[in-house]
Amino acid sequence: MSSTPARYNFHETEARWQKVWDERQTFRAVMDRAKPKYYVLEMFPYPSGRIHMGHVRNYTQGDVIARYKRARGFNVLHPMGWDAFGLPAENAAMEKKVHPKKWTYENIATMKVQLKSMGLSLDWSRELATCDPSYYRHQQKMFLDFWNAGLAYRKEAWVNWDPVDNTVLANEQVIEGKGWRTGAAVERRKLTQWNLKITHFADEMLERLDTLKRWPEKVRLMQANWIGKSRGARVFWDLTDASGAAPSKNGRGKLEIFTTRPDTLYGASFMALSPEHPLTAELAADDPGLQRFVAECRKTGTAAAEVETAEKVGYKLPLLARHPLMPGKTVPVYAANFVLMEYGTGAIFGCPGHDERDHEFATKYGLPILPVVAPAGVDTKAFSVADAPFVEDGVIINSDFLNGLGVEDAKARVIARLEEMGVGKGTTQYRLRDWLVSRQRYWGCPIPAIHCEKCGIVPVPVKDLPVKLPDDVTFDRPGNPLDRHPTWKHVDCPKCGGKAQRETDTFDTFIDSSWYFDRFTSPGLETAPFDREENQYWMPVDQYIGGVEHAILHLLYSRFWTRAMREVQMTSRDEPFDGLFTQGMVCHETYKSSDGQWLLPEEVIRDGGKTLRVSDRRPVEVGRSEKMSKSKKNVVDPDQIIRDYGADTARWFMLSDSPPERDLEWTEAGVTGAWRFQQRLFRIASTALEQVPPAGTPKPASFSEAAITLRRAAHKTIAGLSADIEAFHFNKAVARLYELANSIDSVKAAGDDSATWALREALEIFVRLIGPMTPHLAEELWQALGHRSLLADSPWPLPEDALLVDDTVTVAVQLNGKLRGTIALPKDAPKEAAEKAALAHPDLVRGLEGRTPKRVIVVPNRIVNVVV
RNA sequence: GCCCGCUUGAUGGAACUGGUAGACAUAUCGGACUUAAAAUCCGAAGGCCGCGAGGCCGUGCUGGUUCGAGUCCAGCAGCGGGCACCA
């Protein structure tokens, strides 16, 4: 009768094994000092509603590593949680009239079911949500500790303000100068806000980047640029008012500037203050023209396009600055729109000869342009910088004691002189700014502080933690519901007992994600964020995996938080993540109907060479492949894929073809290809199982040629695949498995006992090797092979060294570097033998046309190159 | 503007420290099975020339180093990413 093997029923199989792993708590992690630990972590998701393909890719990669390391004998920690605070929950509250808490927890429930359907080897007993008071109470406590240690402070600063939502926005929430949610032009506002002193660790965080050997070079570079270290000098200039009178009242006497080019001080022709500089503000008090100028500057957005096109404008102040190195010389002082208050001292000296911006400004206001650096070898008298500034290295001119020096030498000399004279000093300046963490938002962790009219700002006593978010809030109006809550913010001052008010701002949600990996080491612990011993055992994270979009924000903040914890003696660790891998995005073609509507992939059908809309059969415009996004509708739902093809297929496809750090193009053809392979594997295994000897059959004394060939293939695959997984070359690992499957499928073992034994061996190896990638199918076949233990609990196979090398090798024969043919030689054949065999190759002889070889190069086991 | 990365068949991509370019997969084409289709199995395939044996060309472009270059060096182009009035 029909011997057609049964089809692999992934629905039933996947559910069954997930249940077994769950019931046996296979992936539960327990501290065990006898075993080496391995902490695998993927960036935890924001519970937006449903998982997307980016999650599937991320968690599949992490799961391969986790399952592989487990099989290699490591005690693996692989936890999952929820980055549960954030704006979308409040938006949902406003739009759908659902409470943020309800919305968030419902999303978590949905997404947890989805993640479970992927068959991930997660320890769910450690699950956490950052919006849970049992989590954020520790965060509040740590904040108080940091505050005590001087790492948290309140500061008045210029911030981005969304006038419609009435909240501060982070820089990354300002797109093209507009609030990302409201589209309203962002204003600059001066507000007193909470900051964390990340700049305290700027230098250390920069230096330690070099030691993060298992981080992508790209990410380290981005962080280095973000921290932005520059060497330079601070220079103090005496100010006089226009009458030339002596330095005046109110600290107007001195102006401190920062420059990276102190070597060009002799080329100074003006000074420029930020419109937000305190001195500007002071002078504006009785100068309506200056007030108008400052207000005008504030209106200009910070978006790149605006900044580029914005003209440089200045407002001349009634001040002169005395050159610190040139007695008697004074230069005019301006307020100028291109000077940033946040960098350096908020004031600069202008050297139009050697700076693009200064040049533009000086040209506009008719200020002198004096060259002080000339290109080497140019006639200095004829050298001019009228049209464009000269910004490269050269020789110093017109600069007294600096003349003739190179730029770097001149910098050192002038700094030494400034320091001698007490009018300046060499300094290091960082681009990095302190982390502004206040948000005028409800769905976040409350900042544990109290404002008292008498005592000022007072920390919430530790015994009163956590400061819980109230549930009874309304979202009928924009703004922060905490601020207008009838009772929540009214409290007694913990110091004087008088009437006081709670801080109604909440923390930036990036704080929540700055230490969750530490919390995973001690879930549920009430008395502290984590148990020291457990934490010391499990941390640091050995392998962290996530999107490159967090290269700066989350990864920088986490490095800071770890150092802040070290500062308050909670740990002795410097770095949280030993290894980092940044995976690429999942992309899909985009589709647009003839009337300009974006279409979902399932609304589109291919018919011959044409792409048509399913509903009306009208042609569809196919756009380039982009990151899957709801707005362009080029999304595929993981649930649907898992339902139609199974989790193993989805996982397999995610790992195939594209290197994991690169973008992956999601295609229907790719998925069906992956699906067909699962079916084929099941068929190959089922057929092979009919002819293999039972488990435990003794190894034959000798092997046939076919058996040896198969054994070699299997054992080489073990070695190669292990290396591929360690190196995150999953696409290559997949290719190797295809090759082994082809070898198994094509072997003729019938009637050859050594070959059937080798077939069982190869099959066992194969099933063990696909375990990390397609765990359900692997577990199913493992049982079919007659095992009673779980594959998930079985060790990784070890290759037999003797089978990793061939005894004959194919050596290429070249004539003048061009391939003429190949010869088969015993491995490690002597050079003379190789040369002799090559020279006898008919194609080479014909190519020689009777010429005598000038030289013969023999690369053992690889190539013989004959040169004439 | 500054910094970084990438560029290999129709397509995704392989190629260890310079040593047989195109593994593996997808799509395509041909064949088998089938009444037919799907599924499956077998086979072909970088380009050009040739009936054929075979030859020539070929890893974005132009040069260089080398017995030998996808790989190293110099210059250029295209694509992508990060930062950006940071003094």
Side-chain angles (χ1 to χ4, degrees), chain A residues 343-359:
Chain A
Y343 187 75
T345 61
I348 59 159
F349 85 88
C351 177
H354 307 283
D355 182 279
E356 304 270 2
R357 295 153 306 182
D358 298 351
H359 188 272

Side-chain angles (χ1 to χ4, degrees), chain A residues 112-387:
Chain A
K112 188 171 175 180
V113 171
Q114 292 186 298
L115 287 183
K116 287 206 160 190
S117 75
M118 284 181 64
L120 303 169
S121 64
L122 292 166
D123 179 357
W124 281 104
S125 75
R126 292 172 187 256
E127 180 183 4
L128 62 80
T130 58
C131 63
D132 189 326
S134 70
Y135 179 83
Y136 69 65
R137 68 183 299 167
H138 302 293
Q139 189 163 302
Q140 291 173 338
K141 169 66 167 55
M142 282 189 274
F143 174 78
L144 295 179
D145 292 342
F146 296 169
W147 186 357
N148 249 328
L151 290 171
Y153 64 95
R154 274 165 70 79
K155 181 181 81 171
E156 193 177 40
W158 292 95
V159 295
N160 301 308
W161 179 264
D162 186 318
V164 174
D165 266 1
N166 295 314
T167 185
V168 166
L169 291 180
N171 281 338
E172 61 273 17
Q173 291 160 347
V174 181
I175 297 155
E176 305 270 288
K178 290 173 179 156
W180 67 312
R181 233 181 64 76
T182 61
V186 164
E187 295 170 8
R188 304 269 292 159
R189 274 205 188 180
K190 202 170 196 180
L191 290 173
T192 305
Q193 302 279 294
W194 285 99
N195 292 270
L196 290 178
K197 213 167 181 176
I198 190 167
T199 55
H200 180 66
F201 301 106
D203 203 50
E204 190 203 330
M205 286 170 57
L206 182 68
E207 295 300 315
R208 279 297 304 265
L209 281 174
D210 285 342
T211 68
L212 299 173
K213 304 273 187 233
R214 291 180 53 236
W215 278 44
E217 183 66 36
K218 182 185 174 182
V219 173
R220 288 188 279 164
L221 233 140
M222 281 166 71
Q223 290 211 356
N225 289 338
W226 188 262
I227 294 169
K229 182 179 186 172
S230 331
R231 290 291 306 168
R234 296 203 167 202
V235 187
F236 314 116
W237 297 60
D238 283 333
L239 296 179
T240 71
D241 55 28
S243 66
S248 62
K249 52 187 179 170
N250 304 348
R252 270 191 213 179
K254 277 202 194 298
L255 180 63
E256 185 178 348
I257 60 99
F258 173 75
T259 178
T260 54
R261 292 296 303 274
D263 55 299
T264 64
L265 264 176
Y266 283 91
S269 62
F270 66 96
M271 307 293 284
L273 304 181
S274 164
E276 292 159 359
H277 194 281
L279 185 52
T280 312
E282 191 187 318
L283 291 167
D286 32 47
D287 184 345
L290 183 54
Q291 281 167 25
R292 276 195 299 278
F293 175 78
V294 170
E296 202 56 42
C297 290
R298 202 167 295 156
K299 272 192 206 153
T300 313
T302 47
E306 272 179 87
V307 163
E308 220 163 282
T309 52
E311 202 184 347
K312 299 193 179 7
V313 286
Y315 184 92
K316 195 165 181 189
L317 302 175
L319 294 170
L320 290 171
R322 287 198 175 135
H323 198 291
L325 298 175
M326 301 169 79
K329 167 147 180 161
T330 58
V331 296
V333 182
Y334 288 80
N337 66 340
F338 67 95
V339 183
L340 303 174
M341 191 58 222
E342 296 91 344
Y343 187 75
T345 61
I348 59 159
F349 85 88
C351 177
H354 307 283
D355 182 279
E356 304 270 2
R357 295 153 306 182
D358 298 351
H359 188 272
E360 190 186 328
F361 190 82
T363 306
K364 177 164 177 180
Y365 290 101
L367 297 162
I369 301 174
L370 178 69
V372 288
V373 187
V378 156
D379 177 12
T380 54
K381 293 209 178 62
F383 180 62
S384 139
V385 286
D387 297 333

Side-chain angles (χ1 to χ4, degrees), chain A residues 814-820 844 851 855 865-868:
Chain A
Q814 295 184 338
L815 177 61
N816 287 335
K818 275 192 183 175
L819 186 72
R820 288 291 141 165
L844 181 83
R851 289 171 293 180
R855 213 177 134 190
N865 187 14
V866 179
V867 185
V868 293

Side-chain angles (χ1 to χ4, degrees), chain A residues 756-831:
Chain A
T756 53
W757 190 92
L759 185 57
R760 167 171 272 277
E761 184 194 32
L763 214 53
E764 298 235 355
I765 287 172
F766 188 84
V767 168
R768 182 57 275 207
L769 297 185
I770 60 168
M773 302 175 173
T774 55
H776 311 89
L777 176 63
E779 198 75 75
E780 184 73 2
L781 295 176
W782 188 247
Q783 304 302 314
L785 279 161
H787 295 280
R788 276 188 294 167
S789 64
L790 285 181
L791 178 76
D793 289 328
S794 308
W796 199 248
L798 290 173
E800 284 179 27
D801 289 342
L803 292 168
L804 297 182
V805 285
D806 296 315
D807 23 64
T808 56
V809 289
T810 309
V811 171
V813 178
Q814 295 184 338
L815 177 61
N816 287 335
K818 275 192 183 175
L819 186 72
R820 288 291 141 165
T822 59
I823 47 175
L825 288 173
K827 181 159 171 70
D828 297 327
K831 282 195 172 190

Side-chain angles (χ1 to χ4, degrees), chain A residues 45 83 111 185 202 520 566 590 792 854 864:
Chain A
D83 188 11
M111 290 171 74
F520 275 137
R566 187 191 63 195
T590 49
K854 223 190 289 174
V864 178

